[in-house]
Amino acid sequence: MKVLKDILYRVNMKAVAGDTGVTINDIHFDSRKVKLNDVFVAIRGTQSDGHDFIKNAEDQGALAVVCEEIPENKINGVTYIEVEDTKKALAYISANYFDEPSSKLKLVGVTGTNGKTTIATLLYDLFSKAGFKCGLLSTVKVMVGTEEHSAIRTTPDSITINSYLKDMNDVGVEFCFMEVSSHGIDQHRTTALKFAGGIFTNLSHDHLDYHKDFAEYRDVKKRFFDELPASAFALTNADDKNGPVMLQNTKAKKYTYALKSYADYQAQILENNFTGLLLKIKGQELWTKLIGSFNAYNVLAIYATADLLGLKTMEILRIISELNSVSGRFQYVISENDKITAIVDYAHTPDALKNVLETINSIRTKNEELITVVGCGGDRDTTKRPIMGNIASALSSKVIFTSDNPRTEDPEKIIADVEAGVEPQNFKKTMSVTNRKQAIKTACQMAGPNDIILIAGKGHETYQEVNGERFDFDDLKIVNEFLKQLDK
């Protein structure tokens, strides 16, 4: 239980009606969860407006309501706090309610279009192997020490983040690594958190269904670095043209990493094949099981972060060489008889798909075919669909366009949008199979000895989302089953 005025610390209040000295139980932004003596924060979302549910919260016993406009019909005994932005207010209220848990560990945020999950997860693995108690907030999972929780979204809401961080405090977690999405930054879910460091990976076409244009998307990412404290570090990819932009107004200590440009942390790729990468970092050779130049950037970011957080160089190199790839990120299986390689990757943006395909093409001998199975999600940025179709058809021997979480859209309409980007000379390479399982089966049947199949877009996801329902669907499991059938 907390005193209301204590959890309002740093909240910019415009008006107050009622007593802020009351004792409250819990905080919620979902009116259905409100119980007696709770605080209800009315959030304006894309689907609904919490202000429409203030009465519901009051009926269920809310003792305080935080809103952007105090309702005309106030209830006696209920305290109303009017603020400029309830999302921002929720961030401070959550941090205060859980006793500012981010200040009691070293929290490192990872943002950018691609690589967030890989970097955050491998940092968790690296520091855990180095003997530290760690936490992880990622797209794939949440880890509180060694206890695993399922993840709902890339950056959870402020209450959930602070609740997990408090749990981490309780079990003695020293470092937490967190994916920071543009949605999370824009909706102030990371506001009020104290970060020890921030990492920028890269920026490419994504989430333009949410952000009005690329400039807004970039500027939202930049805001994360603008808000870092002077005590933190800001580490950016100098090879990405937006890398220097992220550091323009930050108060944090600035560091860069790169493969092609001058940077504080530089690496050179010595070998790149299907078994891993041989890198040279600061005069030391490093072998890693991760594959492809895009993973060379990820490894370099991990190395730099570990160095900035105080780990010794030889220990960092030793542990990185032991790390395995992250679930759904360039995971592969090879059939026993025909040696068909099937790769499953989360690549769901044009840049990520291009990186994966270029990596495969740089490694393969060109005597084998590269068959790509790819689709685009429904109810999301439609402008990237033809670009994905163009990239897949240009960089593959054959392409099968299929469904990928169509949600409320017609899967065949999505596929038509993707096909619109295929250039005439590549049209004969392509076909469409709407059913994703059938598409994967078709790719396996088309593949000959030593051919490569890339199944892109879903990666770690183990479901297909159709009309509000999620059905079990695991790309890696399904392709493995079909390859085993071919081996019989």
Side-chain angles (χ1 to χ4, degrees):
M1 294 175 67
K2 301 278 182 180
V3 177
L4 179 58
K5 65 181 178 183
D6 292 340
I7 68 165
L8 293 173
Y9 172 61
R10 294 184 295 171
V11 174
N12 187 11
M13 293 177 282
K14 293 170 66 178
V16 176
D19 183 8
T20 59
V22 295
T23 302
I24 58 96
N25 286 332
D26 209 344
I27 49 174
H28 296 288
F29 60 87
D30 183 341
S31 64
R32 294 167 296 185
K33 295 181 179 178
V34 172
K35 294 184 176 67
L36 189 64
N37 296 337
D38 286 350
V39 177
F40 173 63
V41 183
I43 302 289
R44 298 191 197 277
T46 53
Q47 305 295 325
S48 61
D49 185 348
H51 291 75
D52 296 335
F53 301 95
I54 289 175
K55 187 177 184 308
N56 296 43
E58 292 167 340
D59 291 344
Q60 289 178 209
L63 189 59
V65 173
V66 180
C67 50
E68 291 173 13
E69 190 177 340
I70 294 176
E72 289 182 15
N73 300 318
K74 297 190 287 292
I75 306 293
N76 284 335
V78 176
T79 303
Y80 298 88
I81 298 101
E82 185 177 322
V83 298
E84 190 73 42
D85 186 334
T86 49
K87 296 187 186 81
K88 197 170 187 177
L90 179 65
Y92 286 112
I93 289 168
S94 301
N96 294 332
Y97 180 83
F98 290 102
D99 299 320
E100 299 195 34
S102 63
S103 66
K104 297 169 185 173
L105 46 71
K106 288 187 176 178
L107 177 63
V108 176
V110 189
T111 195
T113 305
N114 304 309
K116 296 188 296 294
T117 302
T118 297
I119 290 172
T121 305
L122 292 182
L123 280 169
Y124 168 85
D125 292 343
L126 191 159
F127 276 77
S128 295
K129 283 178 178 288
F132 296 96
K133 260 198 173 171
C134 297
L136 174 68
L137 293 165
S138 83
T139 305
V140 178
K141 61 186 176 182
V142 172
M143 298 296 297
V144 178
T146 55
E147 186 181 327
E148 184 174 333
H149 304 263
S150 58
I152 300 170
R153 55 175 67 91
T154 303
T155 308
D157 62 81
S158 300
I159 298 173
T160 304
I161 292 171
N162 282 280
S163 174
Y164 277 131
L165 290 173
K166 178 65 166 64
D167 291 344
M168 292 178 197
N169 291 166
D170 291 345
V171 297
V173 164
E174 297 170 79
F175 296 93
C176 177
F177 304 100
M178 173 181 178
E179 288 188 55
V180 178
S181 68
S182 60
H183 291 64
I185 301 165
D186 187 55
Q187 294 172 15
H188 291 290
R189 296 181 211 156
T190 54
T191 299
L193 298 178
K194 185 185 178 185
F195 285 92
I199 305 165
F200 171 73
T201 61
N202 50 65
L203 209 63
S204 64
H205 191 122
D206 198 18
H207 297 308
L208 298 190
D209 54 319
Y210 179 85
H211 303 286
K212 63 182 180 184
D213 54 34
F214 187 83
E216 182 189 285
Y217 177 47
R218 177 200 63 214
D219 291 346
V220 167
K221 293 283 191 187
K222 179 180 176 293
R223 198 171 84 199
F224 171 68
F225 293 92
D226 293 349
E227 294 174 353
L228 287 176
S231 58
F233 67 81
L235 175 67
T236 193
N237 179 356
D239 285 344
D240 188 287
K241 64 181 179 182
N242 294 291
V245 175
M246 298 297 141
L247 302 183
Q248 283 174 355
N249 303 106
T250 188
K251 297 183 286 291
K253 302 174 194 73
K254 301 175 184 180
Y255 298 92
T256 55
Y257 67 96
L259 295 179
K260 301 171 186 172
S261 316
Y262 174 77
D264 298 302
Y265 295 90
Q266 288 180 286
Q268 180 184 359
I269 299 174
L270 302 178
E271 288 181 30
N272 182 12
N273 55 51
F274 277 127
T275 59
L277 285 163
L278 181 63
L279 303 175
K280 193 171 191 178
I281 303 175
K282 289 197 170 183
Q284 298 284 340
E285 288 191 4
L286 164 67
W287 176 259
T288 172
K289 298 172 192 173
L290 276 70
I291 299 163
S293 58
F294 60 95
N295 268 324
Y297 282 104
N298 295 335
V299 168
L300 188 54
I302 292 159
Y303 174 91
T305 302
D307 183 63
L308 291 169
L309 289 173
L311 266 63
K312 290 184 169 58
T313 300
M314 294 313 293
E315 184 179 29
I316 298 168
L317 294 171
R318 176 184 63 78
I319 298 173
I320 288 177
S321 69
E322 297 172 2
L323 299 176
N324 295 311
S325 62
V326 177
S327 174
R329 271 63 176 177
F330 218 96
Q331 281 187 291
Y332 64 93
V333 291
I334 301 172
S335 69
E336 206 169 304
N337 295 336
D338 288 336
K339 304 301 178 188
I340 297 166
T341 301
I343 300 164
V344 170
D345 194 272
Y346 189 51
H348 64 289
T349 66
D351 192 51
L353 183 63
K354 185 170 181 280
N355 283 338
V356 172
L357 286 168
E358 286 182 343
T359 291
I360 296 169
N361 281 321
S362 70
I363 295 171
R364 72 188 185 100
T365 64
K366 306 298 188 294
N367 293 321
E368 66 288 284
E369 292 200 320
L370 169 54
I371 304 166
T372 299
V373 179
V374 67
C376 285
D379 302 334
R380 297 292 187 270
D381 182 6
T382 58
T383 61
K384 74 177 182 182
R385 292 174 186 174
I387 304 170
M388 297 277 281
N390 179 281
I391 291 167
S393 58
L395 298 177
S396 310
S397 310
K398 294 172 184 171
V399 181
I400 302 171
F401 296 123
T402 189
S403 62
D404 177 349
N405 293 334
R407 300 184 177 89
T408 64
E409 281 195 72
D410 176 1
E412 295 190 10
K413 167 65 170 64
I414 298 171
I415 291 171
D417 290 344
V418 175
E419 288 178 325
V422 179
E423 293 181 7
Q425 69 270 24
N426 295 323
F427 187 73
K428 285 186 178 179
K429 294 183 188 179
T430 69
M431 63 187 294
S432 67
V433 179
T434 307
N435 182 293
R436 192 175 181 91
K437 186 171 185 178
Q438 188 62 43
I440 294 171
K441 182 179 181 180
T442 302
C444 292
Q445 290 171 333
M446 288 167 61
N450 302 311
D451 283 352
I452 300 164
I453 300 168
L454 170 65
I455 306 167
K458 294 183 65 60
H460 66 281
E461 293 178 352
T462 55
Y463 59 84
Q464 271 278 58
E465 191 173 335
V466 184
N467 292 321
E469 285 190 68
R470 288 188 173 185
F471 302 92
D472 287 345
F473 199 96
D474 186 328
D475 281 350
L476 192 66
K477 183 179 175 183
I478 287 167
V479 73
N480 206 10
E481 287 172 359
F482 285 135
L483 290 179
K484 282 179 179 176
Q485 286 177 19
L486 290 175
D487 279 334
K488 289 178 181 176

